[in-house]
C-alpha cells in the first residue's frame, strides 16, 4: 500500500514524537482509519534527482492515507500531469501508491511530513520538521533546482538552502539564487482550492516546470 523511501536513512520513525500536537492527531486518525498510512510521509522519487519539488504537508485523505506524497490528494492530478507533460514522470497516475507511476529526475519532499489539523502546521512544527528536509536535501547530491509549492514550502526551502528570507520574497515564478549555485523557483501551491479559484491555472503551473528545464540547460 505504501511506497518505500528512496532515502530511508533520512526519514523519521513511524511514531515520530517530535511534534506532540501532530502525534496526537496521527493517533486519532489512526484509531478512526487503522488501514491508512497515518505516519510521516516519506520522500518519493528519483534519488539521482536534479529537481526537487517541496510541498506543504500530507492531506488527510491523500498522502496521509496512501503514504506517498500528493497521492490521492486534490493537488495530485495537476502535479503529476505537469510532471508527465515535461517528461519528469512516466506511467499512469491513479491516486494509489502502487499505481506504477515513476518519477525521472525529480524528488518530492514535504516541508512537514505529518498530517496537520486543518492542513495548517504551526510555525514550531514547520521548524521541527525542517531538520528532516535538511537531511533529505543533503542526501540528494545532484539536486540543483528546487520548486517550492506555496509560502510555507518557500520559507522552509529558503532556510534549508542557506538563502535569506528578506531577500527572497515569495511570488509565483520568482527565482531565487541561493548558495552553491542552486536555484529556487516559487509556485502557488497546486491545491484544489487554488485550482478552483483560478489562482493557479494549468498554464501557470506548466510555466514553472518549463523554467526549471530551461535552467537545467
Ligand atoms: N499532499 C502532499 O503530500 N503535500 C502537499 O503539499 C499537499 C498534498
Amino acid at each position: 500500500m505504501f511506497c518505500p523511501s528512496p532515502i530511508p536513512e533520512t526519514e523519521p520513525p513511524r511514531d515520530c514524537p517530535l511534534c506532540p500536537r501532530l502525534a496526537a492527531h496521527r493517533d486519532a486518525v489512526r484509531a478512526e482509519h487503522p488501514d491508512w498510512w497515518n505516519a510521516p510521509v516519506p520522500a518519493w522519487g528519483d534519488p539521482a534527482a536534479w529537481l526537487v519539488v517541496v510541498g506543504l504537508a500530507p492531506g488527510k485523505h491523500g498522502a496521509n492515507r496512501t503514504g506517498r506524497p500528493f497521492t490521492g490528494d486534490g493537488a495530485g492530478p495537476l502535479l503529476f500531469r505537469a510532471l508527465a507533460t515535461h517528461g519528469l514522470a512516466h506511467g499512469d497516475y491513479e491516486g494509489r501508491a502502487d499505481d506504477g507511476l515513476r518519477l525521472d529526475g525529480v524528488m518530492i519532499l514535504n516541508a512537514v511530513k505529518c498530517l496537520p489539523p486543518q492542513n495548517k502546521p504551526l510555525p514550531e512544527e514547520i521548524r521541527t520538521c525542517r531538520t528532516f528536509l535538511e537531511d533529505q536535501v543533503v542526501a540528494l547530491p545532484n539536486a540543483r533546482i528546487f520548486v517550492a509549492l506555496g509560502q510555507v514550502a518557500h520559507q522552509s526551502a529558503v532556510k534549508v538552502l542557506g538563502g535569506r528570507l528578506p531577500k527572497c520574497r515569495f511570488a509565483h515564478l520568482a527565482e531565487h539564487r541561493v548558495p552553491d549555485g542552486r536555484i529556487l523557483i516559487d509556485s502557488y501551491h497546486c491545491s484544489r482550492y487554488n485550482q478552483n479559484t483560478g489562482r493557479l491555472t494549468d498554464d501557470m503551473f506548466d510555466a514553472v516546470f518549463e523554467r526549471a528545464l530551461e535552467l537545467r540547460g
Side-chain angles (χ1 to χ4, degrees):
M1 156 169 181
F2 94 104
C3 203
S5 175
I7 39 177
E9 66 285 359
T10 65
E11 302 292 351
R14 272 190 70 81
D15 280 311
C16 181
L18 295 180
C19 302
R21 187 183 76 119
L22 300 188
H25 189 50
R26 183 174 66 214
D27 289 347
V29 180
R30 249 185 216 168
E32 204 186 328
H33 299 286
D35 52 329
W36 288 8
W37 173 246
N38 291 319
V41 172
W44 180 51
D46 180 352
W50 59 272
L51 176 65
V52 174
V53 174
V54 184
L56 167 59
K60 180 174 177 183
H61 297 88
N64 177 68
R65 176 176 56 85
T66 63
R68 195 176 77 177
F70 288 91
T71 300
D73 281 297
L78 178 54
L79 175 61
F80 294 121
R81 199 275 305 143
L83 293 177
T85 299
H86 294 90
L88 300 166
H90 304 287
D92 292 327
Y93 168 68
E94 291 172 7
R96 292 180 286 108
D98 60 358
D99 57 13
L101 187 71
R102 283 172 296 106
L103 302 186
D104 186 0
V106 186
M107 182 71 74
I108 304 180
L109 308 175
N110 273 317
V112 173
K113 287 178 158 286
C114 288
L115 168 69
Q118 276 82 48
N119 281 335
K120 285 199 176 16
L122 301 175
E124 191 183 329
E125 294 161 351
I126 299 167
R127 202 176 321 117
T128 299
C129 212
R130 195 178 300 133
T131 60
F132 298 107
L133 187 63
E134 260 156 23
D135 289 351
Q136 302 205 309
V137 168
V138 169
L140 299 173
N142 301 330
R144 309 311 302 160
I145 316 277
F146 294 75
V147 169
L149 300 179
Q151 285 271 6
V152 169
H154 163 84
Q155 292 185 3
S156 277
V158 169
K159 288 180 181 165
V160 163
L161 295 172
R164 291 189 47 245
L165 274 176
K167 280 182 64 185
C168 300
R169 303 291 288 268
F170 177 85
H172 187 73
L173 274 179
E175 278 174 37
H176 310 286
R177 311 263 155 176
V178 288
D180 301 326
R182 295 176 295 183
I183 300 171
L184 173 66
I185 310 173
D186 291 335
S187 171
Y188 290 134
H189 194 285
C190 50
S191 65
R192 187 61 65 71
Y193 179 82
N194 282 348
Q195 295 175 50
N196 290 346
T197 56
R199 187 173 179 84
L200 182 69
T201 63
D202 286 18
D203 286 352
M204 287 167 70
F205 201 46
D206 280 339
V208 171
F209 294 98
E210 272 153 34
R211 185 62 185 143
L213 285 160
E214 257 170 41
L215 288 167
R216 183 198 187 192

